């Protein structure tokens, strides 16, 4: 089972796990993907994708399909949620695409997951198994056996832990306890475009930044719907994922912001609540033949809109390293870790800093943000973001 032709086991069928299976298949490596849920899918909300995600899609062989389901926003726009005035915007049109070789886009998570899933289903080297929760693993130096909750075992040459924020695999690999509860509460809603205030139907990834709160909106799915994500820093103590909440409860954290920004929230329906978690960067991603990937390795707040992008880059890097060292998995996994750790740690820590200094400041701190950010040109922002958007997972 430890032979190079034996399959790799992957725990988790999210964006990271599917991308890893595709990356391995591109290199001729077979995999068995083990997903705990009864079906493979994603929640019905949007996701922003930087050009680095599109570099990864191309590498994974799904570039055209991914481009086909995206909405290409013209701007990232930052609004002051207290004054309802624009602070700045970054042009995402031709100059941006020329600079980074790929677009900035927004997609429906279900559509993105569907593209990756179809490519996996169509590939003869990938086997997908549902109702297969990995609860632990054992290894003997030549193979690794994933233990499933149902009592079955799956033995492979490697085990990739792509099992998300609450990863069982991480419990053994990093053994660093539960994730950190950020105290930030996010509410998500997707509304038909005709319910979005007409004067706010911008072709932009828009952020309204206010004291201890912010709003994000952008069009999705060929402009059929708008994605609304609103967040307040209310010191929520417990992790929560996807709990339905009333419209009144959502409004409570936003009573202090401009009526124009509040009006956006009033258009939301069927809100669901998440209390966000992340982790401090930790270098222990590898245990023998077991490696972490995506949120299992580096869960981050969403303020840089990069968690899924980083998972895609991980998949590119992992498959590249395994193909580069076909007879030396230890070296391949070590190169994967040393290449991915600094970059993902930087994004994890910057995501927190962005929340504090751009998304949620008040008073003087907010005035300073406005002064600094409004003084910059799009070209300045391109230069600031080049280390991130120019990356591919293969080194930037
Ligand atoms: C509000 C919000 C907005 C975001 N916006 C963006 C954005 O705009 N851009 C961006 O790039 N990222 C964004 N992210 C981050 C992004 O959603 C995640 O980083 C990404 O989905 C992680 O993918 P993953 O495959 O690593 O983990 P997950 O998506 O969590 O997938 C893990 C999978 O593993 C399965 N699983 C769990 N445990 C087990 C087990 N023990 N055995 C088998 N299967 C298991 C789960 O059912 C799931 O299918 C956002 C996150 C949030 C919360």
């Amino acid at each position: 089972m430890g032979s190079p032709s034996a399959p790799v086991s992957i725990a988790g069928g999210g964006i990271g796990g599917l991308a890893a299976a595709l990356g391995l298949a591109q290199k001729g490596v077979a995999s068995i993907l083990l997903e705990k849920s009864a079906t493979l899918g994603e929640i019905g909300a949007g996701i922003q994708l930087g050009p680095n995600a599109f570099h990864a899609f191309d590498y994974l062989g799904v570039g055209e399909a991914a481009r086909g389901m995206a909405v290409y926003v013209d701007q990232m726009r930052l609004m002051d949620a207290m004054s309802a005035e624009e602070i700045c915007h970054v042009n995402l049109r031709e100059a941006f695409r020329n600079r980074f070789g790929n677009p900035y886009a927004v997609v429906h998570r279900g559509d993105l997951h569907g593209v990756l899933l179809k490519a996996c289903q169509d590939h003869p080297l990938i086997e997908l198994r549902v109702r297969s929760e990995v609860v632990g693993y054992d290894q003997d130096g030549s193979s690794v056996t994933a233990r499933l909750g149902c009592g079955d075992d799956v033995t492979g040459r490697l085990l990739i832990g792509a099992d998300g924020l609450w990863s069982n695999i991480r419990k053994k690999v990093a053994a660093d306890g539960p994730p950190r509860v950020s105290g930030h509460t996010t509410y998500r809603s997707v509304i038909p475009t005709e319910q979005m205030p007409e004067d706010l139907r911008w072709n932009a990834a828009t952020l309204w930044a206010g004291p201890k709160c912010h709003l994000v909106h952008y069009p999705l799915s060929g402009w059929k719907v708008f994605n609304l994500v609103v967040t307040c820093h209310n010191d929520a103590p417990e992790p929560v994922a996807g709990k339905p909440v009333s419209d009144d409860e959502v409004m409570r954290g936003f009573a202090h912001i401009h009526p124009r920004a509040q009006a956006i929230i009033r258009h939301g329906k069927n809100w669901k609540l998440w209390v966000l978690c992340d982790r401090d960067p930790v270098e222990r991603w590898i245990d023998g033949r077991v490696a972490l990937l995506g949120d299992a390795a580096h869960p981050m707040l969403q303020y840089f809109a990069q968690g899924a992008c980083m998972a895609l880059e991980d998949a590119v890097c992992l498959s590249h390293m395994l193909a580069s060292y076909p007879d030396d998995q230890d070296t391949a996994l070590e190169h994967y870790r040393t290449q991915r750790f600094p970059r993902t740690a930087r994004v994890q820590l910057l995501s927190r800093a962005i929340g504090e200094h751009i998304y949620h400041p008040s008073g003087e701190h907010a005035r300073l943000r406005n002064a600094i950010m409004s003084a910059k040109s799009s070209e300045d922002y391109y230069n600031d973001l080049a280390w991130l958007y120019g990356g591919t997972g293969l080194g930037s």
Side-chain angles (χ1 to χ4, degrees), residues 229-289:
V229 185
V230 304
T231 302
C232 63
H233 185 172
N234 58 359
D235 299 317
E238 300 286 341
V240 179
K243 185 181 134 202
V245 282
S246 70
D247 298 357
D248 289 347
E249 184 177 335
V250 179
M251 280 309 295
R252 246 174 252 152
F254 302 89
H256 56 300
I257 62 172
H258 194 281
R260 194 164 178 227
Q262 284 182 351
I264 301 167
I265 304 174
R266 292 217 173 77
H267 286 84
K269 294 270 174 299
N270 303 319
W271 289 100
K272 290 197 178 132
L273 176 162
W274 279 258
V275 175
L276 304 171
C277 296
D278 70 354
R279 286 184 184 273
D280 290 328
V282 165
E283 290 189 74
R284 293 185 304 280
W285 289 21
I286 312 292
D287 171 23
R289 291 175 169 262

Side-chain angles (χ1 to χ4, degrees), residues 10-18 34-37 39-43 46-50 53 104 109 113 132-136 148 161-169 186 188 218 229 231 274 276 293-312:
I10 300 171
I15 290 166
L18 293 176
L34 305 161
E35 163 59 44
K36 79 170 177 187
S37 305
T39 52
L40 284 151
E42 256 284 359
I43 60 160
I47 196 163
Q48 304 183 48
L49 296 172
Y104 195 96
R109 279 169 181 268
H113 191 272
S132 298
E133 181 181 12
V134 180
V135 293
L148 305 192
D163 49 345
L165 177 67
W166 298 97
S167 167
N168 280 343
I169 313 290
T186 280
R188 285 162 151 167
Y218 48 81
V229 185
T231 302
W274 279 258
L276 304 171
L293 181 146
D295 275 8
H298 43 67
M300 57 188 67
L301 299 179
Q302 77 265 29
Y303 302 151
F304 223 149
Q306 277 288 324
C309 300
M310 287 296 117
L312 291 161

Side-chain angles (χ1 to χ4, degrees), residues 3 147 149 194 200 222 236 291 310 379 392:
S3 80
R147 310 278 177 211
E194 56 273 18
L200 293 175
M310 287 296 117
E379 195 62 40
T392 61

Side-chain angles (χ1 to χ4, degrees), residues 4-155:
S5 59
V8 170
S9 308
I10 300 171
I15 290 166
L18 293 176
L22 276 180
L24 294 173
Q26 293 285 341
K27 304 293 184 189
V29 177
S31 63
I32 300 175
L33 185 144
L34 305 161
E35 163 59 44
K36 79 170 177 187
S37 305
T39 52
L40 284 151
E42 256 284 359
I43 60 160
I47 196 163
Q48 304 183 48
L49 296 172
N52 53 323
F54 286 90
H55 303 326
F57 291 138
D58 286 335
Y59 187 93
L60 299 171
V62 292
E64 287 319 304
R67 284 184 186 84
M69 42 114 206
V71 170
Y72 298 102
V73 279
D74 289 336
Q75 292 182 348
M76 276 185 241
R77 183 177 286 186
L78 177 61
M79 302 289 294
D80 187 322
M82 299 306 282
S83 65
E85 284 171 10
E86 181 180 297
I87 300 166
C88 64
H89 66 260
V90 181
N91 170 16
L92 299 175
R93 285 179 287 233
E94 213 179 333
F96 180 93
R97 292 186 194 191
N98 289 342
R99 171 76 184 261
F100 296 114
N102 257 314
Y104 195 96
V106 290
V107 300
H108 194 283
R109 279 169 181 268
D111 295 343
L112 171 60
H113 191 272
V115 163
L116 297 171
L117 179 59
K118 177 159 189 328
C120 285
Q121 285 166 334
D122 289 348
H123 207 294
L125 288 175
I126 301 173
E127 181 185 336
L128 302 169
R129 295 190 194 169
V130 293
R131 295 191 182 85
S132 298
E133 181 181 12
V134 180
V135 293
Y137 63 84
D138 294 297
Q139 53 185 327
D140 61 10
S142 64
S143 67
V144 53
T145 299
R147 310 278 177 211
L148 305 192
C150 60
D152 289 353
D153 292 339
V154 177
T155 299

